[in-house]
Amino acid sequence: MNSHSNSQQAHLQQQQVYSPIVLTSTHRQDVQEKYQFSYEIGSGTYGMVYKADDKKRPTNKVAVKKFRSTKEGEGLSLTAYREIGLLKELSNENIIKLLDVCLNPKDKLLYLIFDYAEFDLFGIIKYHRENQSHFSDVTIKSLIWQVLNGMHYLHSNWVIHRDLKPSNILVMGEGKEVGTVKIGDFGLARIFQSPLKPLNENGVVVTIWYRSPELLLGSKHYTRAVDIWAIGCIFAELITTKPLFPGKEKDPKIPSLFQDDQVDKIVKVLGKPTLEMWPDVKHLPEWKRISNMEPYPNTLAKCVGIDEKSNAYDLLSKMILYDPSKRITASEALDHPYFKEQPLPMANAFAKSPIPYPHRLPINKKKREFDD
Amino acid sequence: MAANFWESSHCNEWLLDRNKIEESNSKDKSYLTPMELKRLRTHYCFVIQNLGNALKLRQRATSTAIVYFKRFYLKNSFVDCEPRLIAVTCLYLSSKVEECITQAKKCSAKMKELDHTFNYTMNDILECEFFVLEELAFCLIIYHPYKSLPLYLQNSGLDMASIEIIWGVVNDSYRTDVCLMYPPYVVALGCIYLGSYLLKKDIKQWLSELNVDMKEIWEVSKELIDCYEFEKLSSQNPSEPDFLYAKLPIRNKK
């Protein structure tokens, strides 16, 4: 009993003793005072994401991203800096909006507050795959158009996302923005005023399924074309509800490792790249590993199950083109005949029909379901 | 946004008029005359520059840190926020934003080498990092005049050899408040205008053909001339900053 009250006293004392090293003009409110946390909806290397209510506007749901504290002596992570720095400047209907930033200097914790998006492409593709149903044409077209629209905005502002994948493409649920795509997670995004170092040099691990062939073959430079490749992969995944290139990843902790299974998956769909279709490939460090491979035909249309003469196929094949310098750009893609033919892309990708997808669940509950 | 200054927070929230800048360091005015305060503010620009050089950071990071420092004190005062600690923290922060990251531990150690009376630790810097971020309203991306210099020089007819002199003038401009008042391209042109005068080259014709406000360009160069004159005068009394610093009842002084 005695020791309990002692520790309580010590705790109180500690709270009283904390006096900030500087006295600033900003009045700070703790994140808990401003937002009512509901439950955890996601986690990653950066930290955790929670669903929460904005206490000032109780009808508004928000997503709170809580960053893991970094190692002793490091301060806020570069990832956090990039995300805050960029999102503070970016403003587009298809880019997630940073609403607020909360800091706790005592615990060295950082919280970013975003619009809450009920869905993401990972979840809704999974729903269709498990129910063996398909997206409607208008939904696929609207989703891809909006992703390209957000990407065109980023690219024209000299920002490369570098980590596009279905779970980073959010879609708004019921409300005035229902069915609107929001590109999220800018932790790896960079301004490319100066040449960008490869992510693996920074010790960063990204999913390989959406990684472009030039990066897989050891290219040291990121260009806008890496984002377009990823969007192409996602386009095919929306059509079939299955990932287009689900390669088995070799130890992600060894960044320089050649991902032969991922490259193999691509070759089995697009055929073996040749010097005629991609002249600069001979300068890539890993080119030798595939130059001796047996020729393999392009089977994209069959794999995705669409007509080779369709506009959808034409656009898809231009997005997942081997040669990054010939790959279609976001602005060219938005101008593609696919988007000019019926059905036309819509601002509400769900096209006003009822939304069948399940809402986000607390993370531990999901795990329990998985165990069952 | 990286390409579009006109939609940036720098352009839309952080270009201020002179009255707003005069509100800086409001509490310090009870202890220092306007001239003394100006002297001390200039001094900390040199402190950041020297520390940036000692840490071998890119000039861009140092210039960004100076802008952070000036923005920080728009609403704060030296007496509440120790200026050397804020200076070091601004540089630590800008090293992350400008992708040439240095360690907080290294920052405090180098600062101690340059100023033996500096007793703040790595943890003080890390705690301060949060306060500085908040006071900057999380607007971290700063546009600089450097990028437009080569193009302007080429068009103005000045030879590329003069870029070194003009580059130096741009660096000096961070000790004035022009980075808080004018878009970077105006600062660049103001520096080129002053540089052409120093090089005894006439570029008035070229400037008049540009679609820019000549009054602003003239004001930038005027700010710089004032700054050089002020620094020439104050260089006669190099120990003055320490004396002025001692006059301030600074909170949590270490």
Side-chain angles (χ1 to χ4, degrees):
Chain A
M1 212 47 218
N2 202 10
S3 75
H4 176 71
S5 65
N6 266 353
S7 75
Q8 219 170 25
Q9 222 167 24
H11 182 67
L12 273 176
Q13 256 174 7
Q14 211 184 0
Q15 275 193 328
Q16 280 159 2
V17 164
Y18 177 73
S19 147
I21 188 145
V22 293
L23 206 63
T24 59
S25 69
T26 305
H27 172 69
R28 173 183 301 109
Q29 267 186 304
D30 195 71
V31 70
Q32 308 274 2
E33 283 174 55
K34 289 163 93 174
Y35 304 97
Q36 178 71 47
F37 284 59
S38 304
Y39 47 81
E40 192 183 329
I41 52 172
S43 67
T45 45
Y46 55 82
M48 273 89 80
V49 182
Y50 300 88
K51 183 177 177 178
D53 287 299
D54 186 343
K55 287 186 183 174
K56 267 201 191 135
R57 308 171 306 153
T59 51
N60 285 61
K61 300 262 179 263
V62 294
V64 179
K65 186 168 178 176
K66 177 186 175 183
F67 281 78
R68 214 180 288 285
S69 52
T70 49
K71 274 182 233 145
E72 175 78 25
E74 275 185 5
L76 283 182
S77 67
L78 270 186
T79 317
Y81 269 89
R82 285 178 192 140
E83 192 154 4
I84 299 173
L86 284 174
L87 285 171
K88 204 63 200 168
E89 307 291 328
L90 299 172
S91 165
N92 179 273
E93 61 277 18
N94 296 124
I95 305 290
I96 195 81
K97 195 171 167 212
L98 178 63
L99 302 171
D100 191 11
V101 185
C102 287
L103 294 170
N104 185 340
K106 196 177 143 215
D107 300 332
K108 303 257 163 60
L109 286 176
L110 163 71
Y111 302 84
L112 301 187
I113 290 89
F114 295 96
D115 281 330
Y116 175 74
E118 191 64 75
F119 310 108
D120 59 57
L121 291 193
F122 179 83
I124 63 185
I125 291 170
K126 183 167 165 251
Y127 170 86
H128 282 291
R129 189 171 57 239
E130 289 174 352
N131 290 279
Q132 300 191 343
S133 61
H134 281 277
F135 285 93
S136 69
D137 287 348
V138 64
T139 297
I140 296 177
K141 192 180 289 188
S142 305
L143 290 172
I144 287 298
W145 191 88
Q146 293 188 45
V147 173
L148 284 165
N149 186 51
M151 200 45 64
H152 170 56
Y153 171 81
L154 290 180
H155 285 175
S156 55
N157 284 298
W158 301 81
V159 176
I160 308 182
H161 189 287
R162 306 203 292 179
D163 192 22
L164 277 177
K165 52 187 172 191
S167 58
N168 282 346
I169 296 173
L170 312 173
V171 189
M172 299 297 279
E174 295 302 341
K176 60 181 194 298
E177 285 195 289
V178 60
T180 303
V181 165
K182 302 280 175 186
I183 299 174
D185 204 339
F186 283 75
L188 299 178
R190 299 277 296 277
I191 301 171
F192 52 105
Q193 280 170 326
S194 45
L196 292 183
K197 277 189 187 168
L199 283 176
N200 49 31
E201 262 180 40
N202 306 330
V204 181
V205 181
V206 286
T207 14
I208 62 167
W209 291 359
Y210 307 93
R211 196 178 291 171
S212 67
E214 64 273 22
L215 294 176
L216 290 165
L217 294 182
S219 166
K220 294 272 177 244
H221 296 292
Y222 279 87
T223 66
R224 292 172 238 218
V226 303
D227 288 336
I228 299 296
W229 176 274
I231 300 174
C233 298
I234 294 166
F235 188 11
E237 195 166 331
L238 288 173
I239 297 170
T240 65
T241 72
K242 288 176 194 76
L244 183 61
F245 306 125
K248 261 201 207 77
E249 184 164 14
K250 284 205 230 156
D251 193 348
K253 289 192 189 81
I254 309 170
S256 56
L257 217 57
F258 179 63
Q259 298 288 351
D260 46 5
D261 191 55
Q262 183 63 29
V263 172
D264 195 58
K265 287 278 183 309
I266 295 173
V267 170
K268 291 275 154 63
V269 175
L270 294 184
K272 187 193 153 183
T274 62
L275 286 172
E276 289 76 58
M277 57 171 92
W278 186 5
D280 285 338
V281 71
K282 59 178 180 287
H283 303 302
L284 293 179
E286 310 284 5
W287 161 241
K288 283 211 177 66
R289 296 201 195 232
I290 60 166
S291 56
N292 299 326
M293 276 167 86
E294 292 292 311
Y296 203 88
N298 186 326
T299 57
L300 177 63
K302 210 180 111 219
C303 292
V304 183
I306 52 176
D307 183 359
E308 254 178 88
K309 290 184 196 77
S310 66
N311 281 324
Y313 177 84
D314 187 74
L315 175 60
L316 174 62
S317 63
K318 284 173 173 157
M319 292 169 96
I320 47 172
L321 204 64
Y322 273 122
D323 187 341
S325 70
K326 294 183 199 138
R327 213 170 289 153
I328 197 166
T329 65
S331 79
E332 287 163 358
L334 288 168
D335 227 12
H336 192 275
Y338 171 63
F339 294 117
K340 309 271 164 76
E341 68 181 15
Q342 291 293 335
L344 293 174
M346 296 175 69
N348 176 356
F350 302 133
K352 293 184 185 150
S353 45
I355 303 166
Y357 313 119
H359 286 194
R360 291 185 192 282
L361 293 172
I363 262 205
N364 44 9
K365 199 174 163 193
K366 261 200 227 165
K367 267 183 199 150
R368 239 179 285 139
E369 270 174 22
F370 185 74
D371 292 340
D372 292 344
Chain B
M1 123 270 97
N4 195 347
F5 170 74
W6 304 106
E7 284 175 17
S8 67
S9 62
H10 185 161
C11 177
N12 295 308
E13 292 163 48
W14 292 99
L15 291 183
L16 311 164
D17 61 36
R18 201 175 294 272
N19 293 335
K20 190 92 203 132
I21 297 168
E22 303 262 303
E23 289 170 16
S24 300
N25 296 82
S26 59
K27 283 195 197 168
D28 301 327
K29 288 170 185 160
S30 316
Y31 308 96
L32 301 174
T33 67
M35 275 303 142
E36 288 174 328
L37 184 57
K38 188 177 174 189
R39 173 79 167 102
L40 208 50
R41 279 172 60 91
T42 316
H43 170 71
Y44 290 114
C45 296
F46 279 115
V47 168
I48 295 173
Q49 182 69 58
N50 292 341
L51 182 60
N53 293 348
L55 289 164
K56 299 193 172 64
L57 297 184
R58 296 160 59 193
Q59 180 59 44
R60 203 190 149 82
T62 303
S63 300
T64 294
I66 296 176
V67 178
Y68 288 168
F69 186 84
K70 287 175 186 284
R71 286 185 181 180
F72 182 90
Y73 284 107
L74 283 167
K75 286 201 200 130
N76 291 297
S77 300
F78 293 155
V79 287
D80 286 333
C81 311
E82 213 275 351
R84 295 175 305 169
L85 176 60
I86 299 299
V88 179
T89 308
C90 286
L91 200 61
Y92 174 58
L93 220 137
S94 75
S95 84
K96 292 188 182 183
V97 175
E98 302 293 353
E99 307 273 347
C100 51
I101 188 166
T102 179
Q103 293 156 317
K105 201 174 165 185
K106 221 167 137 188
C107 288
S108 60
K110 269 281 180 252
M111 185 65 184
K112 177 108 182 130
E113 274 176 38
L114 300 176
D115 174 354
H116 298 296
T117 65
F118 183 84
N119 291 320
Y120 292 92
T121 62
M122 171 188 86
N123 284 330
D124 296 327
I125 294 175
L126 293 178
E127 189 185 334
C128 235
E129 181 183 19
F130 280 53
F131 294 108
V132 174
L133 270 170
E134 251 172 0
E135 294 302 302
L136 296 176
F138 308 100
C139 296
L140 302 173
I141 295 180
I142 307 286
Y143 291 77
H144 293 287
Y146 302 109
K147 224 175 121 189
S148 47
L149 277 187
L151 181 74
Y152 286 155
L153 280 182
Q154 208 175 16
N155 292 347
S156 68
L158 289 174
D159 52 54
M160 289 310 269
S162 52
I163 196 166
E164 224 168 291
I165 289 179
I166 289 165
W167 188 274
V169 176
V170 172
N171 289 346
D172 296 339
S173 80
Y174 285 93
R175 297 198 299 275
T176 74
D177 291 328
V178 296
C179 54
L180 299 180
M181 293 193 280
Y182 303 102
Y185 79 95
V186 172
V187 175
L189 290 171
C191 293
I192 290 175
Y193 179 54
L194 183 66
S196 72
Y197 176 79
L198 297 172
L199 294 158
K200 298 195 171 52
K201 300 245 168 78
D202 189 4
I203 59 160
K204 282 212 190 72
Q205 180 66 28
W206 172 70
L207 279 174
S208 67
E209 284 163 14
L210 296 174
N211 185 21
V212 290
D213 185 350
M214 270 310 289
K215 192 170 154 268
E216 289 192 333
I217 291 170
W218 185 81
E219 276 167 6
V220 169
S221 59
K222 171 84 169 45
E223 286 280 335
L224 271 155
I225 293 169
D226 287 351
C227 164
Y228 289 138
E229 277 174 3
F230 180 75
E231 286 174 3
K232 201 169 144 192
L233 270 176
S234 50
S235 67
Q236 292 159 1
N237 191 353
S239 63
E240 198 186 9
D242 295 335
F243 168 73
L244 296 176
Y245 175 87
K247 272 172 83 171
L248 292 170
I250 291 173
R251 200 178 158 271
N252 278 344
K253 204 190 271 191
K254 279 196 182 174

